[in-house]
Amino acid sequence: MPVLRNRVVFEVACGIQAFLGIEAGLVRGEIPPPSAPDGEVAESKDSRAAGRASGMDPGKIVWIFGTGRSGSTWLMNMMAEMPRSSFWNEPKVGNLFGRFHEGAQVGERNSANYILGEPAREGWMPLIRTFVLGSISYRRPRIGANSYLIVKEPNASVGASLLMEALPESRMVLLVRDPRDVVASALDAMRGGSWLFERRSRGKEGRESLADNDTAEAVKRRAMTYRRDIGHAKDAFEAHAGRKALVRYEDLRREPFETLRRVYEDLDIPFDEDDLRAAVEKHSWESIAEEEKGEGKKFRKATPGGWREDLTPDQAQMVEEITAPLLREFYP
Amino acid sequence: MPALKNRVVLAARGVKAFLGIEVGLTRGEAPILADEEIRTLHHQVAEKEQEIQALQERISAKSLRAGGVDPEKVVWIFGVARVGSTWLASMMGETEGHAVWNEPRIGSLFGDFYYGRGAHRSGRHGILGGSEEGRSKTIRAFILTAARAKFGRMVDGGYLVIKEPNGSNGAPLLAQALPESRVIFMVRDPRDVAASGLGAALEGGWYAEASKRRGTSKQHSPEDVVEARARRYVEYISRSREAYESHEGPKTLVYYEELRTDTLETMKRIYSDLKMSVAGEEVLRAVEENSWENIPEEKKGPDKFYRKATPGGWREDLTPEQARTVERITAPLLEEFYPA
């Protein structure tokens, strides 16, 4: 929605200045708070460090769920670039609660004593809420009530349903990408010498790469992870009655500005188109240094459909079979 | 200098139009606050909000006490399954005003993630990463809110005994979160623990039968069961010991064998160590009501939850090879708690 901001200062007499500030616009949802002139802290990055003590509005938490290697870092970076926004990169709070809940034995799950037992669900759901908000309070003590917190959780989507149920007023992005491209990207990252392999091998001498030694098994496991992650995220997305946006990585690559604008509209977050454009430009593929891109690097190729070059026909077929229902739904 | 500030909002069909105007005359610079001034204001606001937060925490702590669960009166029982924690918790729960929370597994919730999934190695972004203070405060709020919701009215100022042998892999996190709470660290000979676990897990055993009824039964060889039990013993007893040693609040170490040999005197010592005032006749009554002899015969036996309660019984229950497996895996702990 268009927003006009202008400020004029002129001298009307010796030593006396007149000033006129005008701010006007049309928005769906919330009216943006009165903005500070350029350079003031309220809209600068410094506000994230020097802002007010914690008063996080749960409605301004934006969760990004999906699966790893689907462009969530890119999306988070663009969204965190917007005014009054900061990010929380992979707290894995979804894993903390989601895996424990999912891994409970039948007897435990049916017990009212068990901390996440179903008979006491109404009792413990607020505990998750308090825990998340308390964690934000201690980690981001200066986040203000007007600030947005972008929480990137692609690798913890197993807990997406619990988190969205605990914080129903928060907003959710479901980010999907063609599973064949996700697997191709993950395979590259898992190979010996690649960025992810090296990171995970720190302090583990002699660690071998499954992607190198048993590529078929690596493909199978990653495809199953995709099915699990996206399946959980999709369940949460469908159940979430609040503000939400479904984003396909391919749309974001093809039309980043338009897609991001649609995300903000779907999430009902007021925005300035110039800010959005600047965020998109700052984090565009072209702005990444050439030496940081390529095989074995975190920024690999960002080419939808690149799996045709990266996977063998057998590998592609395996991914298609394992992820069939999701592939049909999101990539018919 | 006078200034006019106004903001008008008109809403129709979900769309809002807004117009803000700010106009005035000034000598010198137009009123744009300098960065330094803004930073000072932010700092002042932050300080005030921290004061408010501290006051809220104090109010919250008082209301928690008023709600019935005083963190000082939380008593943890750590150890590992089959060390006699059910028996001990039952005796403690007999006392008027005491309540027992049977295996909430809060320790596993945080311990599985923190130690098991390597979250302790995650950086400042991780939900349990960052400072110990921040982590402990959030875990503390989680425990106390849960305890108050479930037991607030029941204990109302009394003791809440939380039996967590199967959540002891997170014992250090729980004890750090509630430093004023009371800790019982319960140990038992690992060979008897393995023998008890084996009896439960074998065909016809109470645990195997319960798993069958739930449709979650898995067949394991006796050797696998014994080895798994021994490894679990090392993990859970080590974490319990870590919590016990670092805990600055009231605490006590209890040997199952000691509790079996002289139950009444051991119970009195436990209450004394924990600085809990319980009348002698109440302790005696609790001991008598929960004695081995008072358990109906049909509930006792090699395949039952109440098996044999005989320290050293492992000599009859484990093969020499199985006993050696347990001794090899648990060697440092066996040497520490049960030196030859």
Side-chain angles (χ1 to χ4, degrees):
Chain A
M1 293 286 173
V3 174
L4 164 73
R5 281 187 192 131
N6 208 351
R7 190 173 177 87
V8 183
V9 181
F10 52 94
E11 196 160 281
V12 292
C14 186
I16 297 180
Q17 291 183 321
F19 59 92
L20 172 65
I22 296 180
E23 187 180 39
L26 288 174
V27 291
R28 285 185 189 279
E30 299 161 58
I31 304 281
S35 66
D38 290 347
E40 282 194 19
V41 178
E43 289 201 354
S44 76
K45 279 212 159 190
D46 290 346
S47 67
R48 292 161 203 171
R52 57 197 291 273
S54 179
M56 182 84 225
D57 172 0
K60 290 190 167 63
I61 298 173
V62 183
W63 301 92
I64 301 178
F65 291 116
T67 191
R69 309 309 298 154
S70 58
S72 54
T73 303
W74 178 35
L75 178 59
M76 176 194 76
N77 284 339
M78 288 191 289
M79 294 181 77
E81 202 62 48
M82 296 293 282
R84 298 181 302 279
S85 300
S86 60
F87 67 86
W88 194 359
N89 185 31
E90 306 219 31
K92 307 270 181 74
V93 61
N95 281 348
L96 170 64
F97 292 109
R99 284 189 189 271
F100 188 75
H101 184 251
E102 192 178 61
Q105 294 179 10
V106 178
E108 291 169 333
R109 194 171 293 162
N110 293 334
S111 164
N113 278 328
Y114 188 63
I115 189 68
L116 299 188
E118 284 307 313
R121 191 180 181 92
E122 280 184 19
W124 53 258
M125 196 51 80
L127 297 180
I128 295 181
R129 179 186 178 87
T130 307
F131 187 82
V132 172
L133 294 176
S135 296
I136 292 171
S137 167
Y138 284 110
R139 281 153 192 291
R140 301 282 198 281
R142 304 294 169 83
I143 278 192
N146 288 323
S147 302
Y148 289 89
L149 181 65
I150 318 299
V151 188
K152 178 195 143 194
E153 278 282 55
N155 293 306
S157 293
V158 63
S161 292
L162 292 179
L163 293 170
M164 298 315 297
E165 188 178 340
L167 292 145
E169 70 276 61
S170 65
R171 306 168 205 227
M172 176 181 172
V173 174
L174 169 57
L175 178 63
V176 294
R177 184 182 184 186
D178 188 313
R180 292 160 296 199
D181 277 329
V182 168
V183 172
S185 176
L187 266 188
D188 180 70
M190 289 156 65
R191 290 192 195 285
S194 279
W195 66 275
L196 185 62
F197 180 83
E198 291 304 312
R199 194 169 75 185
R200 288 183 177 169
S201 301
R202 265 180 227 147
K204 296 174 188 168
E205 209 169 306
R207 187 169 183 264
E208 295 191 344
S209 160
L210 183 68
D212 289 332
N213 295 344
D214 189 348
T215 312
E217 182 62 22
V219 167
K220 181 181 161 192
R221 287 192 197 176
R222 191 59 189 83
M224 289 172 76
T225 300
Y226 180 98
R227 185 174 68 185
R228 185 198 67 198
D229 288 349
I230 298 293
H232 281 297
K234 177 176 164 291
D235 288 347
F237 186 78
E238 287 170 354
H240 182 53
R243 293 160 286 194
K244 57 188 177 183
L246 170 64
V247 187
R248 295 193 336 159
Y249 171 80
E250 294 75 10
D251 296 337
L252 203 58
R253 272 296 289 148
R254 196 178 58 249
E255 294 183 312
F257 175 75
E258 290 75 8
T259 305
L260 196 57
R261 182 170 60 188
R262 202 252 305 152
V263 168
Y264 271 78
E265 286 170 356
D266 287 353
L267 294 178
D268 196 16
I269 299 176
F271 62 95
D272 180 304
E273 293 213 349
D274 290 341
D275 291 333
L276 206 63
R277 202 174 296 281
V280 168
E281 281 175 13
K282 181 169 179 184
H283 295 281
S284 72
W285 178 254
E286 291 68 32
S287 69
I288 299 169
E290 285 305 315
E291 62 271 21
E292 291 183 23
K293 295 191 277 197
E295 281 193 8
K297 307 220 170 115
K298 191 165 186 181
F299 304 103
R300 201 174 60 103
K301 59 202 289 189
T303 307
W307 61 269
R308 290 184 180 84
E309 297 163 6
D310 303 323
L311 299 182
T312 66
D314 283 351
Q315 289 168 350
Q317 189 182 348
M318 186 187 284
V319 178
E320 287 162 5
E321 283 172 5
I322 292 171
T323 64
L326 296 168
L327 194 59
R328 266 199 307 275
E329 180 170 353
F330 295 114
Y331 298 91
Chain B
M1 287 289 169
L4 166 71
K5 268 188 187 174
N6 208 353
R7 203 156 204 250
V8 184
V9 178
L10 297 171
R13 294 183 184 179
V15 177
K16 291 175 186 167
F18 62 93
L19 173 65
I21 295 179
E22 187 186 24
V23 63
L25 291 173
T26 179
R27 283 187 192 277
E29 293 291 320
I32 298 173
L33 293 173
D35 281 358
E36 186 56 37
E37 191 179 349
I38 290 167
R39 270 196 289 273
T40 305
L41 288 172
H42 273 294
H43 185 68
Q44 288 171 351
V45 171
E47 279 183 347
K48 288 292 171 197
E49 298 221 12
Q50 277 170 359
E51 278 177 34
I52 292 168
Q53 195 173 346
L55 287 169
Q56 282 173 337
E57 281 177 9
R58 284 173 58 188
I59 292 166
S60 169
K62 282 187 178 170
S63 69
L64 280 173
R65 288 194 178 91
V69 177
D70 181 343
E72 287 180 14
K73 292 191 172 177
V74 168
V75 184
W76 299 101
I77 301 180
F78 295 132
V80 69
R82 313 307 296 158
V83 291
S85 56
T86 302
W87 178 36
L88 175 59
S90 298
M91 288 191 282
M92 296 184 78
E94 290 287 342
T95 304
E96 184 71 26
H98 291 196
V100 175
W101 193 353
N102 187 36
E103 309 227 20
R105 303 275 314 272
I106 305 171
S108 292
L109 168 65
F110 294 111
D112 286 355
F113 187 73
Y114 188 73
Y115 300 110
R117 295 194 177 278
H120 61 296
R121 289 191 298 272
S122 67
R124 59 193 170 88
H125 287 299
I127 186 71
L128 296 185
S131 73
E132 182 186 311
E133 185 195 359
R135 176 172 59 249
S136 288
K137 280 185 175 174
T138 47
I139 293 176
R140 178 187 178 87
F142 186 92
I143 297 167
L144 291 177
T145 310
R148 183 172 58 160
K150 195 168 176 59
F151 291 95
R153 285 183 191 166
M154 206 183 296
V155 294
D156 195 23
Y159 288 93
L160 175 62
V161 179
I162 308 183
K163 181 196 149 201
E164 275 284 61
N166 287 304
S168 294
N169 55 334
L173 299 171
L174 304 182
Q176 277 163 17
L178 271 71
E180 68 276 65
S181 64
R182 292 158 156 88
V183 166
I184 297 174
F185 172 26
M186 197 165 181
V187 293
R188 185 183 182 185
D189 188 311
R191 293 161 294 199
D192 276 331
V193 169
S196 181
L198 182 62
L202 288 180
E203 181 72 21
W206 66 270
Y207 186 80
E209 291 305 303
S211 299
K212 257 189 208 170
R213 286 194 297 277
R214 293 192 294 255
T216 56
S217 152
K218 285 179 190 166
Q219 288 298 318
H220 296 289
S221 72
E223 281 66 34
D224 286 347
V225 172
V226 166
E227 183 168 337
R229 284 281 170 178
R231 294 199 184 284
R232 191 177 174 88
Y233 184 96
V234 171
E235 181 188 356
Y236 282 56
I237 293 293
S238 298
R239 294 280 178 228
S240 300
R241 186 185 57 182
E242 184 184 337
Y244 173 77
E245 286 179 351
S246 60
H247 190 63
E248 291 179 359
K251 59 187 177 183
T252 187
L253 168 65
V254 180
Y255 284 80
Y256 171 79
E257 293 79 7
E258 179 194 4
L259 197 62
R260 276 294 290 147
T261 309
D262 193 344
T263 313
L264 183 61
E265 286 308 310
T266 307
M267 287 301 292
K268 285 180 181 172
R269 179 185 61 79
I270 290 171
Y271 286 128
S272 169
D273 286 352
L274 296 181
K275 299 179 175 55
M276 292 169 68
S277 173
V278 180
E281 57 270 28
E282 275 204 89
V283 182
L284 179 62
R285 184 173 55 81
V287 168
E288 285 176 352
E289 286 190 6
N290 291 277
S291 71
W292 178 254
E293 293 68 32
N294 267 347
I295 299 169
E297 286 306 315
E298 65 272 19
K299 288 192 176 178
K300 295 191 279 196
D303 55 349
K304 306 270 173 40
F305 184 82
Y306 302 102
R307 208 173 58 99
K308 60 199 294 186
T310 306
W314 60 270
R315 292 184 180 83
E316 297 162 8
D317 303 324
L318 298 182
T319 65
E321 183 59 33
Q322 289 168 347
R324 274 195 294 276
T325 298
V326 178
E327 287 162 1
R328 174 176 50 82
I329 293 171
T330 65
L333 294 170
L334 192 60
E335 196 174 318
E336 180 178 347
F337 294 110
Y338 298 91

